[in-house]
Amino acid sequence: MYNLLGRWVREEEKTLVEAVVISGINIGTVLGMPLAAILSNSKIWGGWPAAFYVIGAIGCFWFCFWSLFVTNSPSEQKCITAKEIEYINGTKIIEDSKKNGFLASFPYVLQSAVGCLGGYISDEVIKHGYVTPIFARKFCNILACFGSIAGLIISGSAGCDIISQISAFGLTMAFGGLWYCSYMISYLDMSPEYAGTLIGIASTLSGLTGFITPIFVGALTNKKPTFGQWRIIFGVTIILLILNAFVYQFSATAEKQNWDDDHHTERSNRWRKYLRCMFRNKRTEENDS
């Protein structure tokens, strides 16, 4: 994905385009969770299997669309005009797209690896009784926050040193993988029954940053793209990370909430059945009239 963005997006537009593309992940979660819930409670293909069939079919359709219309570069796209190619290439300089693609994607691979390793270690120490679940969650969150802060500080003071910048970005992303086993697992801790709903709500709210951040960054760097301006951006990010660490540290819980018990689940099911019957009776009355 990042390799394609490097070839298709103009230099002065890459921040917004990247943010919109990555925000699509959260939008997919927001739309996919309710859709899966609706299909699971329907009679289509036996209920819950329909969630896999329908979402899988959407994925297959997207794959066909991608294969037909997406190309490695603008010059390979048959539907593009010469004027559009000229616009895309207006201010872009691609020195080594393969190298850039690898460098852009490697920190995300590193983040996933650290997240999986952190999840395994967390499960093991909890399983053997060395720590409580909430201690493991908060400890991982602290490491993720302050490890990311260390990476941002290094990046802000590294200047034009490419090696230091890449290392700092990798450090930030690697420690960010520990969020997979801290706040992101809290949804399952608090409510296995409604974890999908909770993460859908949280993803909707957090997805707003995908639109706010480019506006904020653009306002600071559009006319003055200096290291000083970027240090301001890093400073604001560090403050938000510290705030996140303290809020999670003092308010997070790994206890199952009382609204997730069987009584509330049974009551929710009864309420859903009541609504189905009500709408079914209403449609019957409209057809009779």
Side-chain angles (χ1 to χ4, degrees), residues 11-16 18-19 149 151-160 165 169 212-239:
E11 184 70 23
E12 65 269 25
E13 297 174 351
K14 64 182 180 181
T15 304
L16 177 59
E18 189 269 348
I149 288 172
L152 290 173
I153 292 174
I154 294 172
S155 180
S157 58
C160 296
Q165 290 291 355
F169 185 57
I212 296 173
T213 302
I215 296 173
F216 172 71
V217 173
L220 287 175
T221 62
N222 188 29
K223 295 182 179 180
K224 193 179 178 182
T226 63
F227 279 114
Q229 297 299 97
W230 277 103
R231 289 188 183 107
I232 294 174
I233 296 169
F234 292 161
V236 172
T237 306
I238 289 171
I239 292 172

Side-chain angles (χ1 to χ4, degrees), residues 4-273:
L4 289 176
L5 291 177
R7 297 174 180 179
W8 276 88
V9 182
R10 287 169 63 101
E11 184 70 23
E12 65 269 25
E13 297 174 351
K14 64 182 180 181
T15 304
L16 177 59
V17 174
E18 189 269 348
V20 172
V21 171
I22 299 303
S23 296
I25 299 173
N26 291 329
I27 294 172
T29 301
V30 172
L31 297 177
M33 292 295 182
L35 176 61
I38 293 171
L39 292 172
S40 297
N41 288 306
S42 70
K43 295 182 180 180
I44 303 173
W45 293 321
W48 65 265
F52 293 90
Y53 294 142
V54 172
I55 295 176
I58 294 173
C60 292
F61 172 79
W62 176 251
F63 170 76
C64 294
F65 175 85
W66 183 280
S67 299
L68 290 172
F69 296 103
V70 177
T71 58
N72 290 326
S73 65
S75 60
E76 298 178 24
Q77 173 57 258
K78 297 179 180 179
C79 300
I80 199 170
T81 65
K83 187 175 181 180
E84 289 172 328
I85 293 177
E86 183 181 354
Y87 174 79
I88 293 172
N89 295 329
T91 58
K92 283 170 48 29
I93 299 175
I94 301 176
E95 297 176 355
D96 189 347
S97 59
K98 291 184 178 180
K99 182 179 178 181
N100 291 341
F102 172 77
L103 292 177
S105 62
F106 179 73
Y108 292 90
V109 175
L110 189 61
Q111 183 184 62
S112 299
V114 171
C116 293
L117 179 62
Y120 172 77
I121 294 175
S122 293
D123 282 344
E124 288 298 310
V125 295
I126 292 171
K127 182 171 63 178
H128 289 87
Y130 299 136
V131 299
T132 60
I134 190 58
F135 179 88
R137 310 289 186 250
K138 291 182 176 180
F139 182 73
C140 288
N141 189 72
I142 286 290
L143 286 180
C145 286
F146 288 97
S148 299
I149 288 172
L152 290 173
I153 292 174
I154 294 172
S155 180
S157 58
C160 296
D161 189 333
I162 299 298
I163 301 299
S164 297
Q165 290 291 355
I166 293 174
S167 301
F169 185 57
L171 178 68
T172 302
M173 295 296 292
F175 274 98
L178 293 174
W179 273 311
Y180 296 164
C181 39
S182 57
Y183 80 88
M184 295 184 73
I185 201 68
S186 294
Y187 306 112
L188 287 171
D189 288 336
M190 294 190 298
S191 176
E193 177 71 20
Y194 300 109
T197 302
L198 292 176
I199 196 171
I201 295 171
S203 296
T204 302
L205 296 175
S206 64
L208 296 176
T209 61
F211 298 94
I212 296 173
T213 302
I215 296 173
F216 172 71
V217 173
L220 287 175
T221 62
N222 188 29
K223 295 182 179 180
K224 193 179 178 182
T226 63
F227 279 114
Q229 297 299 97
W230 277 103
R231 289 188 183 107
I232 294 174
I233 296 169
F234 292 161
V236 172
T237 306
I238 289 171
I239 292 172
L240 292 175
L241 286 169
I242 293 173
L243 180 62
N244 163 61
F246 278 99
V247 170
Y248 189 84
Q249 201 69 15
F250 291 105
S251 63
T253 179
E255 299 294 329
K256 188 176 180 180
Q257 301 301 292
N258 57 9
W259 38 265
D260 187 71
D261 59 22
D262 294 335
H263 171 70
H264 286 79
T265 302
E266 183 181 351
R267 185 170 62 184
S268 298
N269 290 334
R270 289 201 305 268
W271 178 246
R272 281 195 290 266
K273 290 180 180 178

